[in-house]
Amino acid sequence: MTEYLSVSTLTKYLKAKFDRDPYLERVYLTGEISNFRQRPNHQYFALKDESAVIQATMWAGQFRKLDFRLEEGMKVLAVGRISIYPPSGSYSINIERLIPDGVGALAVKFEQLKKKLTAEGLFEAKWKQPLPAFSRKIAVVTSPSGAVIRDIITTVQRRFPMSQLVVYPTKVQGNGAAEEIATNIRRANARGDFDVMIIGRGGGSIEDLWGFNEESVVRAIFESRIPIISSVGHETDVTLADFVADHRAATPTAAAELATPTTRLDLLTWASEQEKRMTNQLTHMISVKCERVEKLSASVVFRQPERLYDGHVQKLDRLTERLSSLTTTKVTQVQHRFELAADRLVPAYAKILDRQKNKVAQLYQSLLLLDLSKIKARGFSVVTNDHGKIIKSVNEVEKGETLHLDFVDGKVEVEVK
């Protein structure tokens, strides 16, 4: 009798086969990303080619290790193991490692970062700064050794030896290169006295030049207040630093030429032209001034200088006469007011004087009434004791006390009994 298996039993059997099969333990697949929508943690999507599709799972820990961004339709190389999911009876690949197929991971990162920064507007022409005609100080961010710095020094000395070169020794390849490049760009800006800056290095692979594709470097160039010339790699090499820089040069020599657009010969020619221009202007100015002097010397004023002050003399005479008239009028007015005031003041003062005389006479009579000699002449005397105290009452004397009587014609002493 035929024995029927349950679906679960069959699925478990197939899962065990898949798990034990050495060919399915590590599978290398190539295909296109399909049905991808990024989730917060684990990622679920599909890999497909022209005639087949397989579901794929990538756990959060593995997904965070990716150094590029997954996109719909991207062709990739996947490494993982095949397994069956019993509840749905479907098989899938659990991806352990994923890399772009064909152009490589760095090229994908390059395009994705370029797309992002382009959307932010960092590469727009309106942000590009013009280069100065005369560069007194030039900052160079590059390796202190090699052909790049030698070419820049030679070109600047040949074209414009008055320029001062300041080299910021920088690691331009490998781990930490991007950090050094960005840091030195900001250091040069912090110094604040550079007219232009050159950044760059020689040619190499995309890996060698990658430091100039890092986002930190691109943003440091964009934020620079100093105009930056990018000279990275050979003419066919392109980096994101080239897109964001104010100007791009194919070679270090070309970068130095851009940094010194005016050569020593140009400067001498310009100085000579300025000298001729100033000479012509001064000659013309002197000629105009001479003509003006001649015209002025022939004028009536210089032939009859007294006419310069005739009008002023007449004006002075008129003002003198006017001042004299005004002064006389003013004095007459003041004198008249004084006479009027005197007429009113004298009678008033006489009345006041009479009143004061009468008041003095009254006071004099009052004083006479208080005069002791006058009182004593009328028969009165002043009585005092031995201490000179005036006695006003009988209660102020004692029996046997000596009193002094002061008459108008002398004094006598009496004894109280």
Side-chain angles (χ1 to χ4, degrees):
M1 183 176 178
T2 303
E3 182 178 355
Y4 291 88
L5 299 176
S6 66
V7 175
S8 298
T9 301
L10 178 59
T11 302
K12 289 179 182 179
Y13 173 79
L14 292 175
K15 185 177 186 306
K17 284 286 188 180
F18 273 64
D19 292 342
R20 289 195 296 266
D21 192 329
Y23 295 105
L24 300 179
E25 185 177 2
R26 181 169 293 272
V27 177
Y28 297 82
L29 291 182
T30 179
E32 293 182 4
I33 301 292
S34 177
N35 196 25
F36 174 74
R37 179 175 58 83
Q38 186 167 331
R39 293 169 171 79
N41 296 310
H42 312 307
Q43 305 302 317
Y44 303 96
F45 51 93
L47 293 177
K48 70 176 184 177
D49 56 20
E50 294 82 359
S51 56
V53 176
I54 183 174
Q55 298 302 314
T57 301
M58 195 169 192
W59 306 122
Q62 300 296 333
F63 183 73
R64 283 194 294 267
K65 295 179 182 179
L66 292 182
D67 55 2
F68 65 97
R69 188 172 65 252
L70 281 183
E71 294 179 352
E72 184 74 15
M74 179 184 291
K75 193 173 183 181
V76 294
L77 300 176
V79 180
R81 59 184 179 84
I82 304 297
S83 64
I84 289 182
Y85 184 58
S88 63
S90 61
Y91 74 97
S92 63
I93 179 171
N94 291 329
I95 297 177
E96 300 171 357
R97 186 160 58 93
L98 196 65
I99 60 175
D101 187 14
V103 295
L106 289 181
V108 172
K109 286 180 62 178
F110 178 92
E111 291 300 329
Q112 290 181 346
L113 184 55
K114 178 183 175 184
K115 182 178 179 181
K116 171 187 174 183
L117 299 178
T118 300
E120 293 184 25
L122 269 64
F123 304 146
E124 293 183 13
K126 66 180 180 181
W127 305 122
K128 306 299 183 185
Q129 303 179 79
L131 296 176
F134 301 98
S135 300
R136 294 169 298 175
K137 283 189 178 181
I138 303 173
V140 183
V141 177
T142 189
S143 172
S145 61
V148 172
I149 189 60
R150 290 197 301 270
D151 290 347
I152 292 174
I153 292 172
T154 301
T155 304
V156 171
Q157 289 180 344
R158 171 175 55 83
R159 289 174 56 83
F160 203 77
M162 288 78 80
S163 292
Q164 177 186 352
L165 283 175
V166 178
V167 180
Y168 285 84
T170 307
K171 185 178 181 181
V172 293
Q173 179 177 335
N175 293 332
E179 289 75 9
E180 283 196 27
I181 296 168
T183 298
N184 284 336
I185 290 173
R186 293 190 175 96
R187 284 179 57 202
N189 274 272
R191 177 164 165 170
D193 60 347
F194 289 112
D195 300 302
V196 68
M197 185 190 313
I198 299 173
I199 64 170
R201 56 152 289 151
S205 64
I206 188 172
E207 291 83 1
D208 296 336
L209 305 179
W210 191 253
F212 294 90
N213 289 320
E214 291 286 359
E215 185 172 356
S216 60
V217 173
V218 175
R219 295 196 181 278
I221 295 173
F222 180 77
E223 295 166 2
S224 174
R225 298 184 302 275
I226 305 170
I228 291 182
I229 301 171
S230 174
S231 176
V232 180
H234 299 303
E235 186 172 2
T236 56
D237 296 322
V238 179
T239 64
L240 295 179
D242 298 329
F243 288 110
V244 74
D246 299 291
H247 298 270
R248 189 214 174 196
T251 63
T253 299
E257 290 175 350
L258 283 173
T260 55
T262 302
T263 66
R264 177 171 51 183
L265 179 60
D266 295 332
L267 184 61
L268 293 174
T269 303
W270 177 83
S272 178
E273 291 175 353
Q274 293 301 311
E275 182 183 8
K276 291 179 182 178
R277 182 181 176 186
M278 290 178 64
T279 301
N280 293 335
Q281 288 182 342
L282 287 173
T283 301
H284 177 70
M285 186 183 300
I286 292 172
S287 176
V288 171
K289 297 295 183 184
C290 288
E291 291 178 2
R292 187 176 180 187
V293 169
E294 291 178 0
K295 291 180 180 179
L296 290 174
S297 62
S299 66
V300 177
V301 172
F302 286 99
R303 288 187 285 105
Q304 297 178 356
E306 64 275 4
R307 295 178 63 175
L308 284 172
Y309 53 84
D310 282 348
H312 296 289
V313 171
Q314 293 176 2
K315 186 176 181 180
L316 180 61
D317 289 341
R318 288 197 301 270
L319 291 174
T320 302
E321 291 176 1
R322 184 180 177 188
L323 178 62
S324 176
S325 175
L326 289 174
T327 302
T328 303
T329 303
K330 193 71 175 179
V331 170
T332 302
Q333 292 174 350
V334 171
Q335 186 176 2
H336 179 65
R337 286 200 298 271
F338 179 76
E339 290 174 354
L340 293 175
D343 291 343
R344 293 194 298 270
L345 183 62
V346 170
Y349 181 74
K351 291 180 180 179
I352 293 172
L353 186 61
D354 289 342
R355 286 198 297 271
Q356 294 298 325
K357 285 182 179 180
N358 293 334
K359 187 175 181 179
V360 169
Q362 292 174 1
L363 291 173
Y364 179 73
Q365 292 300 323
S366 298
L367 288 173
L368 288 177
L369 293 175
L370 296 175
D371 188 358
L372 288 177
S373 61
K374 298 293 184 180
I375 296 174
K376 288 188 286 186
R378 293 198 300 270
F380 296 96
S381 65
V382 178
V383 182
T384 60
N385 59 16
D386 289 337
H387 302 292
K389 179 182 177 182
I390 295 176
I391 304 302
K392 300 177 181 179
S393 171
V394 294
N395 296 324
E396 296 180 354
V397 298
E398 295 179 359
K399 188 177 181 179
E401 183 179 3
T402 301
L403 300 176
H404 304 275
L405 304 178
D406 186 4
F407 294 95
V408 68
D409 55 351
K411 296 180 179 182
V412 298
E413 292 183 353
V414 296
E415 182 180 349
V416 179
K417 295 185 178 182

